[in-house]
Amino acid sequence: MLSSQLFWRVFLVYAGLTVGTTVAFVFILTSQHQETVRTQLEQRLREDADALAAVLAAATFDGERIPQSAKNLLDALTRRNRNQSAIVGKNDVVVWSTQSSAGIWNDSSAAAEVQLARQAGSGFALRPGPHANENMLFYAERIDSRDPAAGLVRVALPFDQFVRELSTGHSQLWATAASMGILALVVTYLVVGRIIGPLETLTQAAKQIADGNPAEVSVRSRNEIGTLASVFNSMSRQLAARIGDLQEQRQQLEDADAAGSHGVA
């Protein structure tokens, strides 16, 4: 079977379709997953910023000083997540920030998300954080959507950290897909072998008949291939019987010819 060109052609076609379909499926799935995660992270930042803005609105933030009660609420809200947060007041001065976010908000006036918030009310930006090799997702929105000068809420999270966690899940997905692909190739090999094997057996038997050696095949399939093998065996037996009859007739003729020659002599 391994020497059959038809076997390898059929196997390679099925293998190519299997591998191609698996790779395309995983690629599409991972791409959609990345987009979904990005959307979820943006929604998370937006909700956190809305909560901080609501606290400041309730405390009647004047753009310079935050009441201690409001600071306590801000601290309580930001302890629940991994986000970094800051409140930007008048003249782009950071009047409050999470303790672990020092150095992140030094670009209050030049940051892309700040400019978008000043112009449109809110904005996102994906760019390097304090560590140049680590990207962060930033979001800024106005405390008062109607007053660009009322101050901004800024939040950020370590985007690359989430990407690494996502990559771990993608690696597991690729490993699972590879395992399933190998299993599919094995199944394809066996299925194609069950189809091509009997055909190769019939081919070899036909070659033997062409060489003058009657042959029969043993195929136990109950499908069309089994029917073909049964018909082939019937034809082979009929052909063998016909050849036997011809050989017998030839022998009789030779015997008769030999007897006539002795009589003449």
Side-chain angles (χ1 to χ4, degrees), residues 66-119:
I66 301 176
Q68 187 60 45
S69 58
K71 287 184 179 180
N72 294 337
L73 286 174
L74 295 176
D75 291 335
L77 287 173
T78 55
R79 276 196 297 267
R80 300 175 184 177
N81 50 52
R82 289 183 288 179
N83 297 351
Q84 308 295 341
S85 307
I87 306 301
V88 179
K90 295 180 179 179
N91 301 319
D92 294 325
V93 176
V94 176
V95 296
W96 175 90
S97 66
T98 50
Q99 293 181 358
S100 59
S101 63
I104 297 179
W105 316 112
N106 295 334
D107 56 351
S108 293
S109 60
E113 73 277 6
V114 170
Q115 296 179 6
L116 288 171
R118 297 291 190 199
Q119 298 170 4

Side-chain angles (χ1 to χ4, degrees), residues 243-255:
I243 291 175
D245 291 341
L246 292 174
Q247 290 178 343
E248 183 178 353
Q249 293 176 9
R250 179 181 177 184
Q251 185 64 41
Q252 291 176 356
L253 290 173
E254 289 178 351
D255 292 343

Side-chain angles (χ1 to χ4, degrees), residues 233-247:
N233 288 336
S234 177
M235 293 175 58
S236 178
R237 287 191 291 269
Q238 293 177 13
L239 182 60
R242 183 65 59 85
I243 291 175
D245 291 341
L246 292 174
Q247 290 178 343

Side-chain angles (χ1 to χ4, degrees), residues 142-224:
R142 297 176 189 171
I143 296 174
D144 185 347
S145 60
R146 297 167 297 180
D147 184 6
L152 300 174
V153 175
R154 298 183 65 189
V155 289
L157 53 76
F159 185 78
D160 282 356
Q161 182 176 345
F162 286 95
V163 170
R164 284 192 294 269
E165 294 174 0
L166 183 63
S167 298
T168 301
H170 287 174
S171 298
Q172 295 175 350
L173 180 61
W174 279 106
T176 301
S179 300
M180 296 301 294
I182 293 173
L183 179 61
L185 290 178
V186 172
V187 172
T188 300
Y189 179 88
L190 296 176
V191 171
V192 173
R194 288 179 63 87
I195 296 174
I196 302 299
L199 293 178
E200 186 177 12
T201 301
L202 287 169
T203 301
Q204 296 300 325
K207 290 180 179 179
Q208 292 183 21
I209 293 176
D211 293 336
N213 301 316
E216 293 189 15
V217 295
S218 176
V219 178
R220 300 179 181 179
S221 301
R222 297 182 180 180
N223 51 25
E224 289 80 358

